[in-house]
Amino acid sequence: MKENGFNELVIDTLVTWRCNLRCEKCCVPKDGYEAQLEKFVELFDKLREVGIKRIVLTGGDPLVREDIVDIARLAKERGFEVYVSTNGLLLRERWEKLAPYVSWISISLDCSTSESNEAMTGKGGALQFRKILEFLQYYASLDK
């Protein structure tokens, strides 16, 4: 790392414990404290003060928050590169509003077929697989 090194760090920011899947392999609790929007303003300001440039919005699944676009917008307005880590179930329906604020998306996909994804993740895995493919087809069709 360089002298202060913070400008090279990526900070994972848990925005929710909630998730719309119940993967058998997951060890993350499905409920817990969920900060209000104002707390993210404070957090983002503190992170910028020390030189952080990149954050990951994660969870549970961050897209289950109705205000996820507002959180991403606040981060982008403060100069962050905003990454989102998601299971992809809600990505297509949230994408148009979220896209202007996001630099990078990480989508978890555990297997190469809907059947094997269902077997790996449990109930909902086949739907997740289909939703991810639908999003990728939609994304590929966008005029870039």
Side-chain angles (χ1 to χ4, degrees), residues 128-143:
Q128 178 208 21
F129 187 89
R130 287 191 304 273
K131 289 283 196 175
I132 290 170
L133 290 184
E134 287 171 11
F135 173 75
L136 294 174
Q137 289 169 342
Y138 159 76
Y139 188 80
S141 74
L142 294 176
D143 186 29

Side-chain angles (χ1 to χ4, degrees), residues 15 18 34-38 40 62-73 94:
V15 299
R18 293 180 291 138
E34 191 168 283
Q36 298 298 314
L37 197 58
E38 304 80 46
F40 289 104
L63 300 186
V64 300
R65 282 192 68 135
E66 293 297 323
D67 62 351
I68 190 62
V69 172
D70 295 325
I71 295 170
R73 178 185 47 78
R94 300 254 196 267

